[in-house]
Structure formats: structure tokens, C-alpha cells
Amino acid sequence: MDKRIALITGATSGIGEATARLLAKHHFSLVLCGRRQERLQALANDLKKETKVTTLSFDVRDQKAVARAIQSLPTDWKQIDVLINNAGNAHGLDPIQTGSIDDWDAMMDINVKGLLYVSKEIIPVMTSRQTGHIINIGSIAGKEVYPNGNVYCASKFAVDALTKGMRLDLNPFGIKVTGIHPGMVETEFSLVRFKGDEQKASTVYKGLEPLKAEDIADVILYSLQAPKHVVLADITILPTAQASAALVKRS
Ligand code: NDP
Ligand code: 8X3
């Protein structure tokens, strides 16, 4: 039975929610984070049947709110063993010459700076205990640039660089750092990218079988269950129909 405490950002939908559900089955204690409080509460109520759960509602863009929320945890809950930096989204899919500044700010502020703000609060707990596991959710978009991906890709290349940087700097403390880089996963991701346009979002996965959020949760659990001397450093996971960021086989 796993006794570790895992803090998951972006637990209100998609990959984060599926990971919370799977880790609950394996008895990790869970700190579920996201902005949508009702969803957090509903998920927590569901999972409380299986494990210990608490929730923190904050916007990862707001450094003070991030710090306040995490510091508000009771002492027992502060001993975070696993940090899953998952909160993030693409905003827009426009060529660089017509992209929106608001979209660019959102992606850099959430995907990159948000990940840093959360990590800044948790890493000292791990360094002082000389143990811990950080899992950063990157993307195939952080390995290859695709047309119109520009700033989203840049934000995920930054996540990849930060993952590698964390692994180097945290090496003296015995902290594991894993980068997981999914291809197309059907979640609320495309709905957010296209600002609620369901029609546009549904065409993204037309004629192929995308990954499910549960597929990524499985990989996260697998990397958490590796023996103490093993770290799964860098994992790219694609649907079988996807060969690269831009090459997809559709029926
Ligand atoms: P979803 O849109 O389903 O989930 C995104 C999660 O991030 C939500 O729980 C949302 O919670 C949270 N979030 C977004 N913005 C903020 C914010 N400002 N502050 C706090 N939380 C925030 O998408 P996915 O599950 O697909 O995405 C999860 C991660 O996986 C992202 O980092 C994404 O880039 C990455 N990814 C996704 C792929 C895909 O094809 N779906 C492929 C590769 C990587 P709330 O709105 O409640 O705050
Ligand atoms: C999400 C995958 O290819 O839609 O990170 O950018 S992709």
C-alpha cells in the first residue's frame, strides 16, 4: 500500500483527473489542485471513499496565491512526496504573424511560470527530506515544433528544459525528475485551445483513435512505481496513429 502524498495540478479534468482517480486506487494521499472549486470538491468527495484527499484552489499564474495555498496545508499534508506538474493548456492555434498576445501570455504564464511557482513551494520540502519525485507533463509539442504551434511549442520546450534542469540541480538530493510527453490525448485540451468551439475541437481527433487521459495516468503510475534506484527520465507517448507532432494517419 502506497503511503506517499501526491500533489496534482490541473486535477479538475483530463490527465490530472484521471491520474487522481488512478493514484487514489493505489492509496496515495492526494492534494488536488485547480481553479474550478466545484469540480475539485466533487472529485474529492468521490475519492475520499478510497484514500485521504484535500483540495487547493488557485490560479497557477498568481505566484502569491500559489504560495498562500500551498503554505496553508496542515503540517502532515506539507510533506509532499510526489509533485505532478500537469496544469496547462494551449490557447489558440494561429500563425506567429497573427497570434494573440493574450494567448501567448496565457501559455507562458500557465505552462512555464505556473509550473515554476508551484515547484518553488514544493522543492524545499523535498530537498530537506532528501527524497521526492517530480513529474512534469510536457508534450510532443515540446520535442517538435509544428505549424501554428509556435508559442505553445515554446512553452513545452521550456517545460522539457526545466525538467532536465531540475534533474541536474536536484541530483544531489536524491530527487527523481520525470518528463512525460504525450501526443494527442482527447480531453478538454482542444476545447480550451479553440475557446469553447466544440465543432473545431472535435475535428482534431476525427478519423483516428487518440490517447485517453487514462493512458497517461497509467504511465505516471508506472514511473512512480519504479524501484528507488530507477528513474524514468523522459517518456514520449503517442497514439499509434500519430508518428510525429504533425504526421497523423486518419481513416
Ligand atoms: P484539460 O484542459 O482537460 O486540463 C487542463 C487542466 O489544467 C485543468 O484541470 C485546468 O483546471 C488546469 N489549469 C489550466 N489553467 C490553469 C490555471 N491558470 N491555474 C490552475 N490550473 C489550470 O487538458 P489536459 O488534461 O489534456 O492537459 C493537461 C496537461 O497535459 C497540460 O499541461 C497539457 O499541455 C498537457 N498535454 C496535453 C495533451 C493533449 O493532447 N490533451 C498532449 C500533451 C500534453 P482549471 O481550469 O479548473 O483551473
Ligand atoms: C498537446 C499535443 O500536438 O496538440 O500538447 O500540441 S498537440
Side-chain angles (χ1 to χ4, degrees), residues 164-203:
K164 290 171 178 153
M166 286 180 183
R167 194 175 309 113
L168 295 175
D169 296 349
L170 299 176
N171 171 265
F173 302 96
I175 295 169
K176 295 189 189 190
V177 182
T178 298
I180 296 182
H181 304 280
M184 299 164 89
V185 191
E186 192 163 11
T187 60
E188 294 179 10
F189 177 86
S190 290
L191 205 57
V192 174
R193 168 168 252 172
F194 297 118
K195 305 181 194 316
D197 185 333
E198 288 180 12
Q199 168 66 24
K200 260 192 186 168
S202 69
T203 61

Side-chain angles (χ1 to χ4, degrees), residues 9-16 33-36 58-61 85-91 110-111 137-140 152 156 181-189 192 205:
T9 66
T12 52
S13 74
I15 294 169
C33 308
R35 289 167 302 178
R36 288 170 287 182
F58 57 84
D59 187 326
V60 296
R61 282 174 290 198
N85 276 316
N86 164 73
N89 277 115
H91 292 268
I110 298 167
N111 302 354
I137 305 301
S139 171
I140 186 67
Y152 179 64
K156 290 298 184 176
H181 304 280
M184 299 164 89
V185 191
E186 192 163 11
T187 60
E188 294 179 10
F189 177 86
V192 174
Y205 311 108

